[in-house]
Amino acid sequence: MKITGIESIVVNAQMRNWVFVKVLTDQDGLYGWGEATLNWKTRAVTGAVEDLAPLLIGRDPRDIAQACRVMQKQSYYRLGIIGMTAISGIEHALWDIAGKALGVPVWRLLGGRVRDKVRLYTHLGLGDMSAVYETFDAGQLTERAQAVLEAGYDALKVVFIPYAGATASPAALRHVERLGRALRDAVGEDTEVMVDFHGRPATVSASLGFIRALEPLAPMFCEEPIQPGDTEGLVQIVAASRSPIATGERLVGVREFADLLQRRAAHILQPDLNHCGGLLEAQKIAAFAEVAQVGIAPHNPNGPLAGIAALHYAVATPNFVIQEAMPGSVPWYHDVVRQPVQREGGFWPVPDLPGFGVEVDEKEAAKHPFQQEVLHAQNALLEDGTVVDW
């Protein structure tokens, strides 16, 4: 069996352009689907897929580890988030081919089932991006949280940490505390709530101020309390925080996670399977994390193929905690994919079809061609006009 071609299909989903990757083989009707979505970097990623394709043409698609080594080591330059996202999408498709060729689901190839269902959470607005990133009012917050619960979820994530500089003002801290208390009162004690800081606090002290303000909420975890790359800062936050700390969505490859794990700088890691290098790399990250007694809660605000890949990974990952999913981000989310997995309350069932068990409807996908995504980052300003982290 040989790879004969690698294609990418862009599907505009407002906040993001989904990048679907299709790997073709010389076997009639045998091909694989993956996803390489990276917000605001669509053209760069599709270009990277084209650049990587010649390295794999003629190779056996079932030699997945070898394919990943070729793409990383024979690219010469170190691959950052764009290159590793392209590799991830291609790698997903190779797993899909391998599963289809053997007639088994991908999770079976990843070591087999370690759970009977996969727990999910979603965001305010059930994936609507304006609700996700622009809910700073207590009334809207509780109303949108109730809508998530009414949809059957028992876990949700919020993003209401204000844009911050080196310090957190008393007014900002009180407002975050009020939002946390209102949210907990609205959803009750049985609902898990995660708070995404989005790396907005510029210092450890500012971050810890917000973490302490959230203690009445008792979050499942506080995510990205500072910008990625500051391992020493995370060590200080973990030591001082009463809430679990999560991070990792912007890291790629097991090496970038290694320092965090060696320093015990997080309680939960969030590799994005679209960006970290794919499922094989994510398995290495999970194994390393298990040794360090760290949980895995993969990041995934992307499209339906990314969600399916994450589902198969979760089925086979012992230290998995919970999976992010945004199936309501556009009304036609499931139209572009045939045989989508159906959520059962706050869980996904274990799939049993060969490969990932899904197929892209290319005619439906073509109805949503590339467009410039909606940019929310233009609001990341302080009152005096200083540009800060989104």
Side-chain angles (χ1 to χ4, degrees), residues 126 144-156 186-188 191-192:
L126 298 171
R144 289 168 173 170
Q146 287 291 350
V148 172
L149 300 188
E150 289 168 6
Y153 292 93
D154 63 0
L156 60 96
V187 302
T191 300
E192 294 280 16

Side-chain angles (χ1 to χ4, degrees), residues 10-337:
V10 176
V11 180
N12 178 257
Q14 298 177 10
M15 175 62 178
R16 285 173 173 80
N17 282 302
W18 298 334
V19 178
F20 296 159
V21 177
K22 186 177 186 180
V23 175
L24 306 171
T25 76
D26 60 356
Q27 306 294 306
D28 287 343
L30 182 58
Y31 51 83
W33 286 106
E35 184 169 341
T37 297
L38 181 62
N39 47 300
W40 313 339
K41 304 292 186 295
T42 303
R43 287 158 288 206
V45 171
T46 56
V49 170
E50 290 183 28
D51 288 339
L52 290 167
L55 295 172
L56 298 186
I57 300 300
R59 292 182 177 274
D60 192 321
R62 297 165 296 185
D63 294 332
I64 299 173
Q66 183 77 335
C68 290
R69 287 179 66 82
V70 166
M71 288 188 286
Q72 291 190 46
K73 292 185 175 297
Q74 295 186 355
S75 291
Y76 182 63
Y77 294 102
R78 293 286 185 183
L79 297 177
I81 189 71
I82 292 169
M84 290 295 278
T85 297
I87 287 176
S88 299
I90 294 170
E91 192 250 25
H92 292 174
L94 300 182
W95 283 109
D96 192 29
I97 290 170
K100 289 174 178 175
L102 293 171
V104 298
V106 168
W107 58 259
R108 183 72 70 188
L109 303 178
L110 296 175
R113 170 201 308 241
V114 297
R115 57 183 45 84
D116 297 325
K117 56 184 178 179
V118 172
R119 193 178 188 193
L120 300 173
Y121 72 88
T122 194
H123 294 250
L124 298 182
L126 298 171
D128 174 72
M129 292 301 166
S130 62
V132 172
Y133 295 109
E134 298 168 14
T135 301
F136 294 95
D137 173 78
Q140 285 185 329
L141 175 66
T142 56
E143 179 182 348
R144 289 168 173 170
Q146 287 291 350
V148 172
L149 300 188
E150 289 168 6
Y153 292 93
D154 63 0
L156 60 96
K157 183 185 284 183
V158 293
V159 189
F160 57 52
I161 301 300
Y163 300 112
T167 61
S169 71
L173 294 173
R174 284 195 296 270
H175 182 61
V176 166
E177 182 177 354
R178 285 194 295 269
L179 290 176
R181 289 183 183 276
L183 181 57
R184 179 53 68 196
D185 289 343
V187 302
E189 297 297 325
D190 295 329
T191 300
E192 294 280 16
V193 177
M194 291 133 278
V195 181
D196 189 351
F197 282 44
H198 234 240
R200 290 173 180 172
T203 62
V204 169
S205 60
S207 177
L208 284 172
F210 289 119
I211 291 171
R212 288 165 182 153
L214 288 167
E215 286 182 0
L217 174 62
M220 185 179 191
F221 56 74
C222 293
E223 176 178 331
E224 276 201 327
I226 54 175
Q227 282 289 305
D230 185 0
T231 302
E232 183 57 40
L234 280 170
V235 169
Q236 294 176 35
I237 290 171
V238 166
S241 172
R242 295 182 181 178
S243 300
I245 301 300
T247 193
E249 69 181 65
R250 294 189 247 187
L251 304 181
V252 298
V254 68
R255 291 184 181 181
E256 292 195 3
F257 286 87
D259 188 45
L260 288 176
L261 291 167
Q262 289 169 342
R263 299 292 306 283
R264 300 297 196 271
H267 301 102
I268 295 174
L269 291 184
Q270 300 174 289
D272 189 310
L273 308 184
N274 269 194
H275 306 151
C276 73
L279 302 183
L280 202 58
E281 197 75 9
Q283 280 200 308
K284 297 175 185 177
I285 294 165
F288 199 162
E290 189 172 21
V291 172
Q293 299 181 342
V294 170
I296 297 289
H299 177 256
N300 173 43
N302 301 315
L305 290 179
I308 292 299
L311 167 59
H312 283 259
Y313 174 75
V315 171
T317 300
N319 52 335
F320 167 83
V321 177
I322 194 167
Q323 179 60 53
E324 179 178 19
M326 299 180 79
S329 54
V330 286
W332 42 265
Y333 183 96
H334 290 299
D335 294 343
V336 298
V337 170

